[in-house]
């Protein structure tokens, strides 16, 4: 990513609580309501050829419950008859049964290699929908959420190749034309990948635009672009303006250009990948250095010019550009330096160090064309001098003042993954990375829509906490803003081995996670107490307390979907939708 700005995430000190004391387990009962579904959720099991971790991440851990952030407490799922079903909650005690808002025209069961159907709410009146067979629908819905003006009409539908799921979509107007941009995810067989899983990930960015004919509001594909990478992205979203794209993933993504560009790029790569033979070899002892430069057979002593000075060396053959030229790593006694042509037609230069002892890490400053040769006795001496830094035992002397770091003390949840993820912003015109952040140990946890007009936020682990970041594509100087902190959630979630989904309230009042079966954990953020508690250990009053609540669902089926709103948690299984009342809005 040459030319990309290397950025970092700037945390806001005011949003961190150094004195957070942990979650108090609360036994207060949670009101839980359930709705029986009249038809099962259209769950698609992984096939035998979908065996990789990426298939599992993309489709095996798919969230079958879709939250419409443009309206309050409005969720959707697709059932086995291809019906898009909606539940819109106003009163928990008077729940309406799920209602059909749209029916997919295709017979889902007839398609062998289909994926799960997916849906994304591009705006308050536009919806993108995929049936999982490779067909994309653009739908004008009118105002949703049980309103009188709600009517889902297809304005565009097209077969776009192999099956995909919709990751994200946005609706925008540019130069008086309405467009919807959609991001599609595919896991594709990769014939060239013989060493890895045999698959790669393709993200296709499609822009569908209104074709302006008099009185005819047709929509057609304006642009199709494909990025490829080697891991399913944790997060991928299009900017509200449709001008750029942000991707958070372990392995890098890049745009696939046309064939001609590709050939050019490959030849460049070949040139850089060919490992060139070193131009010279050098050895050193405590008081001198020997440099050996291979020279052509027809070169005589008169063709060679070598010039020594206390800090520089200059070597040239005949009228060619200098073979070696530049500042030496340290000073030499230039009057004692010599050179000869050796028997095997190589130029041998002998340099005498001015100060005996120190090893030189390089011969000429910044020159990487030479190779240092170390003989076995030097190797042994170097190993000996480094012995005090290592030890065969995990912690050879634990009673010492400052024992070395002991890996036995690290907990399993603190083990970092080998390669860290990165967050990249791609420009829609140049298709190049403009901003990049290496996330290091800041593990990705989940994403959430706080404001539907903005990009989705992502939550990362920072030490023990979990921090929520809002991308702001219109502020290139501060593109990612720290907007909330879930205290100790980074640490707490790491111990939940069976977790399947994580979510948080758009107003940050709580975070929640669910296991594959039955159990839901809720972490309510600190709220002021009606009575003041006293912390004896620190001799101070505690005005706030954070609570952990646990709900166990009366369900024997695995959890398929999980969404959080400010007041409620929605949990979906094959046949039931559960509603857990977490907060009562004042």
């Amino acid at each position: 990513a040459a030319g990309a700005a290397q950025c970092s995430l700037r945390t806001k000190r005011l949003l961190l609580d150094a004195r957070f004391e942990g979650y108090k387990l609360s036994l207060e009962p949670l009101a839980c309501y359930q709705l029986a579904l009249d038809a099962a959720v259209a769950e698609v099991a992984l096939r035998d050829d979908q065996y990789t971790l990426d298939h599992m991440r993309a489709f095996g851990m798919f969230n079958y419950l879709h939250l419409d952030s443009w309206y309050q407490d409005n969720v959707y799922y697709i059932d086995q008859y291809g019906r898009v079903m909606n539940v819109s909650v106003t009163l928990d005690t008077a729940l309406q049964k799920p209602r059909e808002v749209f029916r997919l025209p295709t017979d889902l069961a007839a398609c062998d290699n289909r994926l799960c159907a997916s849906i994304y709410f591009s705006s308050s009146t536009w919806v993108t929908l995929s049936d999982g067979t490779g067909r994309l629908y653009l739908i004008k819905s009118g105002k949703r959420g049980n309103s009188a003006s709600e009517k889902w009409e297809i304005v565009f539908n097209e077969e776009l190749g192999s099956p995909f799921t919709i990751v994200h979509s946005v609706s925008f107007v540019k130069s008086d034309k309405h467009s919807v941009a959609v991001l599609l995810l595919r896991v594709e067989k990769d014939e060239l990948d013989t060493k890895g899983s045999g698959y790669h990930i393709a993200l296709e960015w499609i822009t569908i635009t209104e074709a302006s004919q008099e009185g005819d509001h047709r929509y057609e594909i304006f642009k199709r672009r494909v990025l490829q990478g080697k891991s399913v992205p944790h997060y991928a979203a299009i900017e509200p303006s449709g001008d750029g794209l942000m991707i958070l993933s372990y392995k890098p993504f890049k745009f696939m250009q046309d064939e001609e560009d590709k050939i050019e790029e490959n030849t460049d790569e070949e040139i850089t990948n060919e490992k060139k033979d070193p131009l010279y070899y050098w050895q050193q002892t405590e008081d001198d250095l020997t440099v050996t430069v291979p020279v052509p057979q027809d070169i005589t002593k008169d063709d060679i010019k070598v010039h020594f000075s206390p800090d520089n060396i200059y070597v040239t053959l005949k009228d060619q550009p200098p073979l070696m030229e530049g500042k030496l790593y340290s000073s030499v006694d230039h009057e004692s330096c010599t050179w000869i042509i050796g028997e095997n037609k190589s130029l041998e230069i002998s340099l005498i160090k001015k100060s005996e002892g120190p090893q030189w890490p390089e011969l000429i400053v910044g020159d990487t064309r030479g190779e240092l040769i170390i003989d076995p006795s030097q190797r042994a001496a170097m190993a000996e001098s480094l012995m005090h830094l290592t030890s065969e035992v995990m912690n050879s002397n634990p009673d010492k003042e400052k024992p070395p770091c002991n890996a036995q003390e690290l907990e399993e949840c603190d083990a970092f993954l080998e390669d860290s993820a990165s967050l990249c912003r791609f420009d829609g015109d140049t298709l190049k990375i403009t901003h990049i952040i290496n996330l290091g140990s800041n593990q990705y946890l989940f994403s959430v829509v706080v404001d539907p007009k903005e990009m989705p936020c992502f939550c990362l682990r920072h030490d023990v906490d979990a921090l929520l970041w809002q991308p702001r594509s219109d502020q290139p100087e501060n593109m990612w803003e720290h907007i909330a902190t879930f205290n100790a959630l980074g640490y707490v979630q790491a111990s939940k081995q069976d977790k399947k989904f994580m979510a948080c309230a758009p107003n940050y009042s709580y975070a929640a996670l669910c296991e594959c079966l039955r159990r839901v954990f809720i972490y309510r953020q600190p709220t002021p107490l009606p009575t003041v508690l006293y912390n004896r250990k620190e001799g101070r009053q505690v005005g706030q307390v954070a609570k952990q609540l646990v709900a166990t669902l009366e369900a024997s089926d695995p959890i398929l979907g999980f969404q959080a709103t400010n007041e409620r948690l929605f949990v979906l299984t094959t046949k039931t939708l559960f509603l857990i009342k977490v907060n009562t809005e004042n």
Side-chain angles (χ1 to χ4, degrees), residues 459-489:
C459 190
L460 303 177
R461 179 176 176 176
H462 287 248
D463 198 19
V464 295
D465 295 333
L467 272 52
L468 199 59
W469 299 89
Q470 172 70 69
R472 306 246 186 243
S473 53
D474 52 347
Q475 301 174 14
E477 293 313 303
N478 189 19
M479 210 170 250
W480 294 282
E481 187 191 348
H482 174 200
I483 56 169
T485 300
F486 294 105
N487 294 298
L489 184 69

Side-chain angles (χ1 to χ4, degrees), residues 188-465:
E188 299 176 331
K189 199 116 188 76
D190 190 336
E191 303 304 334
L192 302 171
D193 180 15
T194 49
K195 290 198 179 74
S197 65
Y199 288 88
H200 64 236
I201 313 305
L203 277 176
E204 185 169 13
W205 177 5
I206 296 185
T207 309
I208 302 163
T209 303
E210 191 175 6
S212 54
Q213 265 120 10
E214 283 296 302
D216 178 19
H217 291 295
R218 273 189 326 112
Y219 278 79
E220 52 192 41
I221 291 181
F222 171 64
K223 240 186 211 169
R224 289 182 77 162
R225 291 157 289 192
V226 177
L227 297 104
Q228 261 182 33
K230 294 300 278 181
S231 70
V232 169
H234 293 306
Y235 171 98
I238 304 163
E239 296 173 357
S241 60
D243 291 335
L245 187 66
M246 290 187 195
I247 298 176
L248 193 163
S249 62
Y250 267 130
K251 297 279 179 9
F253 272 79
K254 70 172 203 220
F255 276 98
M256 304 316 290
Q257 292 102 335
D258 301 332
E259 290 307 309
E260 289 165 30
D261 298 0
K262 246 198 222 165
I263 292 162
E264 263 177 49
E265 206 173 275
N266 286 355
T267 49
D268 288 355
E269 267 178 32
E270 273 161 32
I271 295 164
T272 51
N273 285 352
E274 277 174 28
K275 196 156 172 23
K276 297 198 179 107
D277 282 335
L279 206 57
Y280 58 89
Y281 298 89
W282 60 290
Q283 285 174 287
Q284 61 180 320
T285 64
E286 288 198 347
D287 37 33
D288 65 9
L289 303 120
T290 309
V291 186
T292 309
V293 187
V295 292
Q297 291 295 318
D298 56 345
I299 290 284
T300 64
K301 201 170 177 185
D302 300 334
D303 299 328
I304 299 173
K305 282 197 179 66
V306 181
H307 176 70
F308 302 114
S309 74
D311 298 306
N312 289 277
I313 186 168
Y314 178 86
V315 179
T316 174
L317 303 181
K318 269 188 179 163
D319 307 321
Q320 295 172 0
L323 255 182
M324 292 171 71
E325 177 186 26
K327 185 176 183 325
L328 292 164
Y329 175 77
S330 188
S331 301
V332 291
D333 178 358
H334 66 287
E335 285 168 354
S336 310
C337 297
T338 55
W339 64 271
I340 56 163
I341 289 187
E343 289 166 16
N344 53 356
K345 264 294 181 192
S346 63
L347 164 66
E348 285 181 17
I349 303 168
S350 173
L351 304 169
I352 308 299
K353 292 182 184 178
K354 200 153 212 166
S355 46
E356 284 181 24
Q359 294 282 318
W360 290 17
E362 54 185 347
L363 180 68
I364 298 170
V365 177
D367 187 354
T368 55
R369 298 170 306 165
E371 188 177 302
L372 170 64
I373 295 165
I374 302 174
D375 70 40
S377 62
Q378 280 178 313
R379 242 169 243 263
M382 282 162 85
E384 182 71 32
S385 70
L386 295 172
M387 264 314 274
H388 71 286
L389 297 177
T390 60
S391 150
E392 286 299 303
V393 259
M394 281 290 269
N395 189 352
S396 50
N397 188 355
D399 303 324
K400 255 191 9 207
E401 198 69 349
K402 284 188 180 158
C405 166
N406 185 349
Q408 289 162 327
E409 287 173 10
L410 288 175
E411 300 196 15
E412 203 171 299
C413 60
D414 291 318
F416 297 135
L417 298 136
E418 288 84 342
D419 43 357
S420 74
S422 60
L423 172 60
C424 298
R425 190 256 172 196
F426 291 85
D427 182 276
D429 292 328
T430 64
L431 307 187
K432 291 199 160 45
I433 295 174
T434 59
H435 297 69
I436 183 167
I437 292 182
N438 184 348
L439 293 174
S441 60
N442 302 137
Q443 174 199 356
Y444 169 87
L445 300 176
F446 62 91
S447 58
V448 59
V449 175
V450 166
D451 174 357
K453 293 187 196 69
E454 298 271 3
M455 295 174 79
C457 302
F458 49 86
C459 190
L460 303 177
R461 179 176 176 176
H462 287 248
D463 198 19
V464 295
D465 295 333

Side-chain angles (χ1 to χ4, degrees), residues 14 53 66 79 86 103 113 119 126 169 174 213 264 283 290 367 385 413 432 434 445 447 460 490 543 545 551 570 579:
L14 291 172
L53 184 59
H66 309 278
D79 74 12
N86 165 245
R103 192 178 292 224
N113 65 337
I119 190 166
W126 289 91
S169 77
K174 251 208 190 87
Q213 265 120 10
E264 263 177 49
Q283 285 174 287
T290 309
D367 187 354
S385 70
C413 60
K432 291 199 160 45
T434 59
L445 300 176
S447 58
L460 303 177
V545 70
F570 293 84
L579 280 76

Side-chain angles (χ1 to χ4, degrees), residues 105-130:
T106 38
D107 173 19
L108 297 184
C111 180
D112 286 341
N113 65 337
R114 75 183 171 106
L115 298 172
C116 17
S118 52
I119 190 166
Y120 203 92
F121 302 96
S122 324
S123 80
S124 58
T125 53
W126 289 91
V127 181
T128 44
L129 181 62
S130 148

